[in-house]
Amino acid sequence: AQTVTQSQPEMSVQEAETVTLSCTYDTSESDYYLFWYKQPPSRQMILVIRQEAYKQQNATENRFSVNFQKAAKSFSLKISDSQLGDAAMYFCAYRSAFQNSGGSNYKLTFGKGTLLTVNP
Amino acid sequence: DTGVSQDPRHKITKRGQNVTFRCDPISEHNRLYWYRQTLGQGPEFLTYFQNEAQLEKSRLLSDRFSAERPKGSFSTLEIQRTEQGDSAMYLCASSLSRTGVSPLHFGNGTRLTVT
């Protein structure tokens, strides 16, 4: 079974500064997807960024970028020019790229999350 | 696109009672998921539908839990004989099947408190 570990329960950053959130995962599969989700205090989870394991290039979405190290099974999220609206719980998640015989296996496995505080 | 809608937002019930939650996915999405999130934890997968077929169930989904998606549109999650350990946020998500990975869109969740 796959596991996702977020070793930082809480992080804080000054507005306009850069912060990196850590995530490691354990899998025996060679093809999979990795995600970072954001959960603001309103509780609705929002996709921040995703990475396909077969792609060597790190994904970027505006101020958000990842450092994907496949051999190390590491998938960190970097937030540049942090804004007050970035304050939220951030979850790292894993999804297999393989389908089982039932045509499913689309579930996400989440880490425990990192609570990010942005200080003005 | 009105997003994924869940009802109710909050539910307080006494131990032993039955509760039912509803999820309305984004209209064109054929995949629907239920997750449970307890305090300080990430969401845990419960079950998954493709159209009306329930294709995967977690071991977390005990016999007291049942989910349906009768016409491939909205879904219900019922918990019978609730226990205090069932207190959690129940999240619904939907996605569109297509080549490659389709991101999940989550609802605001239903917070269940069992007293």
Side-chain angles (χ1 to χ4, degrees), chain B residues 44-104:
Chain B
E44 296 172 295
F45 171 78
L46 292 179
T47 190
Y48 154 71
F49 291 85
Q50 178 145 321
N51 300 311
E52 66 276 8
Q54 189 175 20
L55 296 185
E56 192 169 358
K57 290 169 60 174
S58 164
R59 285 171 293 177
L60 293 175
L61 217 63
S62 74
D63 292 343
R64 298 184 297 105
F65 288 70
S66 63
E68 294 182 344
R69 194 182 183 198
K71 297 182 179 179
S73 56
F74 73 91
S75 175
T76 58
L77 177 68
E78 181 184 17
I79 309 174
Q80 296 181 328
R81 305 181 302 282
T82 52
E83 301 173 356
Q84 287 188 322
D86 297 332
S87 296
M89 176 75 82
Y90 289 84
L91 298 171
C92 178
S94 69
S95 70
L96 185 64
S97 62
R98 63 182 188 197
T99 302
V101 62
S102 177
L104 268 61

Side-chain angles (χ1 to χ4, degrees), chain A residues 12-68:
Chain A
S12 64
V13 63
Q14 291 295 127
E15 197 175 2
E17 297 294 308
T18 295
V19 65
T20 298
L21 308 184
S22 301
C23 173
T24 58
Y25 57 94
D26 188 23
T27 184
S28 58
E29 298 176 334
S30 58
D31 200 10
Y32 46 86
Y33 305 100
L34 296 165
F35 307 85
W36 279 98
Y37 277 86
K38 170 185 178 181
Q39 191 175 40
S42 67
R43 308 297 290 185
Q44 186 174 40
M45 301 266 281
I46 304 166
L47 178 66
V48 174
I49 197 166
R50 68 182 182 212
Q51 174 83 39
E52 289 88 346
Y54 66 85
K55 290 186 176 179
Q56 292 185 334
Q57 187 173 7
N58 289 324
T60 62
E61 287 286 343
N62 301 314
R63 298 182 295 107
F64 298 87
S65 61
V66 299
N67 183 3
F68 173 48

Side-chain angles (χ1 to χ4, degrees), chain A residues 4-11 21-24 36 111-114:
Chain A
V4 177
T5 302
Q6 293 180 251
S7 59
Q8 305 155 317
E10 297 182 25
M11 290 283 285
L21 308 184
S22 301
C23 173
T24 58
W36 279 98
K112 290 188 176 183
T114 296

